[in-house]
Amino acid sequence: MEFNHTIFEKAKEFIIICYHELNLIDLIETRLDEIYKEIKVSGSYHHTFEELEYGAKMAWRNSNRCIGRLFWNSLTVFDQREANSEKEIFNALSSHLKFATNNGKIRPTITIFRQDLDEVNRIHIWNHQLVRYAGYETEFGVLGDPASIQLTKKCEELGWKGKGTPFDILPVIIEIDSNGPKLFEHSLENVLEVELEHPDYTWFKELQLKWYAVPFISDMVLSIGGIKYSAAPFNGWYMGTEIGARNLADVNRYNLLPRVAERLGLNLQSNSSLWKDRALVELNLAVLHSYKLSGVSIVDHHTAAQQFAHFENNEKNAGRKLTGDWSWLIPPISPATTHIFYNNYDNTRVNPNFYHKKTSPF
Ligand code: ARG
């Protein structure tokens, strides 16, 4: 077998940074020898638990689009590289849900399954998020979340049938190598949801809106030192605007601004009545209020921006270059009230990192 120099160079770059940050400088040489030999014999190498754990934390720290990176070092890492059947994988996902949800006191967590062998031989979770609502095309328009239409169809093809409410929780589809997809339904006790109410308007409850407590991103590839983990679902807690200004408000999602504005008695015929803006503020207030009331962790965008300023400062003090994606870091409401709006960020991608399947560098 020809020696894979690319993977060794990537490993080397990672190990040097990782071991420096962990104060294990004396071990670098021996570890690189070991990795060299493993690559020579097998074409690839395996991370130690410590490398995996710190690599995942670094990947979060390097996530240019994430405003919540102050907490990168508090990530809990579950090593599930031994899980070898769809059932074992699903059980690990269920444990992740339970641990991370923690009755509302959300813990940022990642579960890492075995590394990819190649493009085909890898674990593939089909869902964008482990918990998300189904979307159905009906003759009266879309019912539920339009972002889920494709996946909902796949689930139905595999024999699943939803209740037909706007908030049906989708099952998880897991595929190992090219063995075909297997479908699993969550136990509902593992999925925490928050019903939305408004601190001042009692009618808000009548809209019968809710959202799930925890966003578990499950379709990104974790890349550490030349190794790819296609199945490495992770979660943080929500920033309120993700739900109130996007999921429930976007025209191509739940599109609720007109309904909220109507109940507020605003003039929907005139752009300059600012009905969209006023509906957005009340909807976002309801989200933050309801999560707090239910004891579910959430952060408003002003606090998140302040936390991001801390992160920027910490990175500077650690002598690291900050990277970021301005268009994602600014919040979708009142962006100019945050310092982020007035800054420039370098959008270079640093490894370890999370990639979308299409933009993965391998
Ligand atoms: N924006 C996505 C959603 O609304 C979640 C992305 C990850 N968000 C987070 N706070 N970690 O579901």
Side-chain angles (χ1 to χ4, degrees):
M1 188 185 307
E2 209 179 301
F3 186 75
N4 190 332
H5 286 283
T6 323
I7 195 168
F8 183 68
E9 286 310 312
K10 288 181 176 171
K12 197 165 148 189
E13 195 186 329
F14 164 63
I15 294 294
I16 291 172
I17 300 174
C18 176
Y19 280 53
H20 268 93
E21 291 192 22
L22 291 173
N23 279 319
L24 301 171
I25 304 174
D26 294 348
L27 303 181
I28 293 178
E29 226 179 271
T30 329
R31 179 59 180 137
L32 285 179
D33 277 350
E34 200 173 75
I35 290 174
Y36 188 90
K37 283 181 193 136
E38 197 182 343
I39 295 175
K40 206 165 159 186
V41 173
S42 72
S44 184
Y45 76 104
H46 292 78
H47 292 123
T48 65
F49 174 72
E50 226 168 9
E51 291 161 6
L52 188 71
E53 181 180 52
Y54 203 69
K57 290 179 173 186
M58 288 170 73
W60 183 5
R61 190 175 77 200
N62 290 331
S63 291
N64 291 357
R65 295 175 163 184
C66 177
I67 193 177
R69 287 181 273 164
L70 176 62
F71 304 100
W72 67 272
N73 205 8
S74 71
L75 181 69
T76 297
V77 178
F78 290 131
D79 180 358
Q80 283 285 354
R81 288 177 292 177
E82 298 294 312
N84 229 336
S85 66
E86 294 87 350
K87 182 76 199 148
E88 277 176 319
I89 291 166
F90 181 72
N91 288 344
L93 296 179
S94 300
S95 306
H96 180 147
L97 254 59
K98 230 179 278 178
F99 175 87
T101 305
N102 193 25
N103 293 316
K105 232 187 133 3
I106 297 170
R107 296 186 273 217
T109 305
I110 184 166
T111 299
I112 304 174
F113 295 99
R114 71 139 152 84
Q115 67 198 58
D116 299 12
L117 301 175
D118 51 52
E119 291 298 324
V120 181
N121 294 294
R122 85 268 178 267
I123 295 167
H124 182 195
I125 299 171
W126 286 24
N127 308 57
H128 162 60
Q129 294 184 24
L130 297 180
V131 174
R132 233 187 178 198
Y133 298 122
Y136 312 93
E137 276 166 334
T138 79
E139 51 182 316
F140 313 105
V142 177
L143 172 69
D145 193 341
S148 298
I149 289 174
Q150 296 294 335
L151 186 69
T152 305
K153 279 189 190 147
K154 291 253 163 70
C155 291
E156 288 171 336
E157 276 167 36
L158 292 168
W160 178 79
K161 193 159 173 22
K163 287 211 172 68
T165 79
F167 300 104
D168 291 350
I169 290 161
L170 284 166
V172 177
I173 301 182
I174 299 166
E175 184 175 18
I176 300 181
D177 303 336
S178 41
N179 300 342
K182 296 237 158 50
L183 185 140
F184 297 87
E185 286 209 53
H186 288 297
S187 332
L188 287 186
E189 82 252 16
N190 286 341
V191 181
L192 187 59
E193 294 176 285
V194 178
E195 290 180 8
L196 300 188
E197 55 179 271
H198 190 283
D200 308 318
Y201 303 125
T202 45
W203 53 259
F204 196 94
K205 261 187 149 142
E206 293 162 20
L207 297 172
Q208 300 204 33
L209 305 177
K210 60 176 175 176
W211 202 254
Y212 49 85
V214 189
F216 299 97
I217 302 295
S218 49
D219 63 352
M220 291 185 86
V221 180
L222 169 62
S223 156
I224 305 174
I227 302 296
K228 238 166 108 173
Y229 299 93
S230 272
F234 60 85
N235 74 277
W237 49 76
Y238 264 118
M239 180 163 87
T241 55
E242 298 184 86
I243 305 165
R246 304 298 313 279
N247 301 343
L248 295 178
D250 278 1
V251 173
N252 58 6
R253 298 292 300 286
Y254 278 80
N255 189 23
L256 286 162
L257 295 186
R259 266 171 74 198
V260 174
E262 238 162 61
R263 295 300 297 259
L264 285 166
L266 304 175
N267 178 5
L268 277 73
Q269 304 315 315
S270 153
N271 281 330
S272 61
S273 72
L274 299 187
W275 63 270
K276 287 185 186 174
D277 311 71
R278 293 178 70 180
L280 265 173
V281 169
E282 300 310 336
L283 184 52
N284 277 276
L285 193 58
V287 168
L288 291 168
H289 168 78
S290 309
Y291 274 62
K292 291 224 168 99
L293 203 66
S294 312
V296 174
S297 310
I298 194 158
V299 66
D300 65 82
H301 49 292
H302 302 290
T303 306
Q306 285 166 357
Q307 291 168 344
F308 190 69
H310 270 278
F311 172 70
E312 293 180 59
N313 208 25
N314 289 353
E315 290 306 287
K316 195 174 182 177
N317 292 338
R320 288 188 289 263
K321 275 200 198 124
L322 177 80
T323 57
D325 183 342
W326 184 91
S327 70
W328 275 65
L329 290 171
I330 53 161
I333 54 176
S334 313
T337 63
T338 71
H339 75 285
I340 301 171
F341 188 79
Y342 305 94
N343 277 357
N344 289 307
Y345 295 92
D346 167 12
N347 196 16
T348 307
R349 277 177 208 227
V350 181
N351 192 277
N353 217 318
F354 293 100
Y355 295 88
H356 287 288
K357 295 223 156 96
K358 281 158 272 163
T359 59
S360 168
F362 306 98

